[in-house]
RNA sequence: GGGGAGGUUGCAGAGCGGUCAAAUGCAACAGACUGUAAAUCUGUCGGCCAUGCGCCUUCGGAGGUUCGAAUCCUCCCCUCCCCA
């Protein structure tokens, strides 16, 4: 048996079922449902954390269910207090609309909108929330929420204990999210909401609302939070969050992020973030045990995820670049090849006039490219042996570089630490 | 309205007239080891010039006392706690 025969079983062996409502498993086995997951529109791009729900929608669709991605253009204006310790910065309508467009295209990478029987949909809850009338809302929906219940919510309780408290705005979030569920139930017969484990309270509240107002049975399923064995926040690197937008996180860095996955996490991530089946993952798990240094599981993970998000071309280029960067001598490479390899890597153009006679000091180079925040820091880095030019360690913190040091007189490859690269192009 | 505690370098948290760019922990960055992993160990961790034990800007804000203040005084702003 290489694949669970029912979605619920499939999700379960992948470790994606953190909690679910009674009877969901049977419902999913019996009928095709419409389900939804909400995505946060507070940025113009999703990051790797959102990959888990994205993949979840795709998995559901593969089993014949109809996925809806709801982008919270309405609720995004409010801000979900779940998992937040501080009040959110409110976004303007324009910002949110701009963000929606970006997110939409990213979701489109894993969802099939043209499937005949169960097409995926993306909806914006602003369509109904923005035109909501306060009095009607309070009478029809608000009546079904007791403040007692809302106060008991974990996310609210935590904020109540805090000095800053919680605003009425964010306090209302629960009702709005529940209202979304109700609207989707009405419009698309949507009977299942999924999300991260922090959404459990919001989701069950929605189920209750559907039951009270429509006498319908709605379900919820939440997935675990993605953790790292090392205890750091998932999806962060030295350079910050790992985004799905290639302009924010280059495919090369994206690929590298996955490739650098901890041995202890890699099997979990294969289950979470790829479509690989049980047999394949088990084989990789064995590989991690017997030959961890080969990093086969990490490589497979990086390939699979990068292919889904950026396409096979990006995978090929990232692997090619990785091979060159971590393998051969850079200075032996062809300039055009280097420029191609470093296509993804941040770069800075500097006028040729600077590179004549005495040249540019390494510290100035590091500051100009923002590899170091200050000259003092740059000096320290070099002194500590953490700076490389053209893959050669810079030994002297007062070293200067001229066009003669550049590859073909045009390119200096700066590197900080093991793998943070920056390309300096000398303008001709 | 009354009483009390406090705001310190990313966070937490010492310092309470000079030896304070400010202990310690965490985070972060670099190095060693290694498998582009983890753990561990080492170093760094305001800025500038340069390499002197130099200069500049920092300890909620504005003034003041002093040869000298994060440390004392005055006023202001903000937070928390207790009482009403």
């Amino acid at each position: 048996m290489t694949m669970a025969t029912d979605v619920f079983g499939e999700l379960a062996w992948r470790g994606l079922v953190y909690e679910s409502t009674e009877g969901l498993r049977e419902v999913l086995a019996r009928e095709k449902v419409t389900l939804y997951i909400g995505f946060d529109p507070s940025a113009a791009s999703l990051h790797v954390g959102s990959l888990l729900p994205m993949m979840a929608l795709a998995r559901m669709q593969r089993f014949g269910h109809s996925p809806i991605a709801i982008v919270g253009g309405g609720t995004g204006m409010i801000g979900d207090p779940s998992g937040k310790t501080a009040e959110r910065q409110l976004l303007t309508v324009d910002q949110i609309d701009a963000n929606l467009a970006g997110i939409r295209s990213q979701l489109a990478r894993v969802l099939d909108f043209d499937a005949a029987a169960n097409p995926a949909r993306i909806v914006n809850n602003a369509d109904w929330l923005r035109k909501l009338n306060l009095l009607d809302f309070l009478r029809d929906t608000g009546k079904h929420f007791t403040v007692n219940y809302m106060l008991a919510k974990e996310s609210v309780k935590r904020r109540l204990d805090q000095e800053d408290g919680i605003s009425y705005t964010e306090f209302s979030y629960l009702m709005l999210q529940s209202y979304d569920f109700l609207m989707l139930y009405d419009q698309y017969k949507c009977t299942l909401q999924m999300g991260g484990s922090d959404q459990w309270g919001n989701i069950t509240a929605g189920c209750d609302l559907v039951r009270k107002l429509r006498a319908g049975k709605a379900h919820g399923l939440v997935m675990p939070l993605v953790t790292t064995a090392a205890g750091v926040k998932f999806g962060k690197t030295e350079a910050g969050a790992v985004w799905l937008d290639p302009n924010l996180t280059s495919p090369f860095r994206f690929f590298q992020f996955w490739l650098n996955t901890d041995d202890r996490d890699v099997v979990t991530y294969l289950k979470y973030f790829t479509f690989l089946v049980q047999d394949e993952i088990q084989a990789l798990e064995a590989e991690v045990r017997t030959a961890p240094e080969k990093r086969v599981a990490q490589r497979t993970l990086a390939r699979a995820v990068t292919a889904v998000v950026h396409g096979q071309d990006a995978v090929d280029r990232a692997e090619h670049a990785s091979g060159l960067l971590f393998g051969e001598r850079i200075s032996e490479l062809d300039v055009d090849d280097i420029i191609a390899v470093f296509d993804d890597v941040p770069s800075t153009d500097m006028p040729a006039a600077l590179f004549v006679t005495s040249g540019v000091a390494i510290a100035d180079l590091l500051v100009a490219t923002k590899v170091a925040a200050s000259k003092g820091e740059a000096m320290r880095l070099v002194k500590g042996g953490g700076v490389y030019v053209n893959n050669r360690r810079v030994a002297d913190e007062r070293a200067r570089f001229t066009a003669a040091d550049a590859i073909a007189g045009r390119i200096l490859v700066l590197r900080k630490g093991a793998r943070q690269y920056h390309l300096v192009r000398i303008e001709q």
Side-chain angles (χ1 to χ4, degrees), chain A residues 264-293:
Chain A
R264 294 169 292 179
D265 293 321
V266 70
V267 172
T268 308
Y269 291 179
L270 282 165
K271 289 177 183 167
Y272 282 1
F273 299 109
T274 74
F275 290 117
L276 297 189
V277 298
Q278 205 158 359
D279 286 350
E280 296 171 302
I281 293 179
Q282 268 162 6
L284 289 167
E285 190 169 7
E287 193 82 30
V288 174
R289 261 198 315 276
T290 56
E293 71 284 357

Side-chain angles (χ1 to χ4, degrees), chain A residues 179-308:
Chain A
Y179 188 75
D180 281 347
F181 203 167
L182 187 70
M183 289 298 103
L184 292 175
Y185 178 84
D186 287 347
Q187 292 178 26
Y188 301 104
K189 303 223 169 352
C190 176
T191 53
L192 168 64
Q193 181 182 175
M194 294 170 62
S197 57
D198 58 335
Q199 293 296 312
W200 184 245
N202 292 342
I203 290 173
T204 51
C207 295
D208 288 345
L209 189 66
V210 169
R211 193 190 66 239
K212 284 175 185 163
L213 287 177
R214 303 289 186 266
K217 181 69 183 159
H219 287 277
L221 183 154
V222 290
M223 298 172 281
L225 241 70
V226 183
T227 57
T228 62
V232 298
K233 199 172 185 310
F234 172 75
K236 290 276 187 192
T237 64
E238 317 82 58
V242 179
W243 301 95
L244 302 191
D245 182 340
N247 296 314
L248 295 173
T249 298
S250 68
F252 172 74
R253 283 234 309 278
F254 188 86
F255 182 86
Q256 287 289 324
F257 166 76
W258 295 101
L259 189 62
N260 286 321
T261 301
D262 194 314
D263 288 358
R264 294 169 292 179
D265 293 321
V266 70
V267 172
T268 308
Y269 291 179
L270 282 165
K271 289 177 183 167
Y272 282 1
F273 299 109
T274 74
F275 290 117
L276 297 189
V277 298
Q278 205 158 359
D279 286 350
E280 296 171 302
I281 293 179
Q282 268 162 6
L284 289 167
E285 190 169 7
E287 193 82 30
V288 174
R289 261 198 315 276
T290 56
E293 71 284 357
K294 287 190 181 148
R295 313 168 62 76
V296 178
Q298 277 90 340
R299 192 161 294 277
T300 308
L301 174 69
R303 280 185 187 143
V305 181
T306 308
V308 165

Side-chain angles (χ1 to χ4, degrees), chain A residues 103-114:
Chain A
I103 291 170
R104 222 164 254 183
S105 66
Q106 291 172 349
L107 288 170
R109 299 218 56 119
V110 293
L111 298 178
D112 180 0
F113 296 95
D114 302 317

Side-chain angles (χ1 to χ4, degrees), chain A residues 121-160:
Chain A
R121 292 188 185 87
I122 294 181
V123 302
N124 182 349
N125 63 6
D127 293 347
W128 55 80
L129 289 181
R130 279 185 197 169
K131 61 186 180 204
L132 207 52
N133 173 289
L134 178 63
L135 287 179
D136 291 344
F137 180 71
L138 288 176
R139 281 184 63 101
D140 300 340
T141 306
K143 203 68 182 166
H144 299 281
F145 288 83
T146 65
V147 171
N148 310 48
Y149 175 82
M150 293 170 75
L151 287 175
K153 266 204 67 188
E154 182 53 38
S155 61
V156 173
K157 246 196 305 196
R158 188 175 47 237
R159 291 278 291 279
L160 284 176

Side-chain angles (χ1 to χ4, degrees), chain A residues 82-104:
Chain A
S82 301
K84 299 288 187 304
T85 50
E87 188 83 9
R88 278 218 215 161
Q89 193 69 42
L90 291 180
L91 296 169
T92 66
V93 173
D94 285 349
Q95 276 173 321
I96 290 172
D97 285 344
N99 293 348
L100 288 186
I103 291 170
R104 222 164 254 183

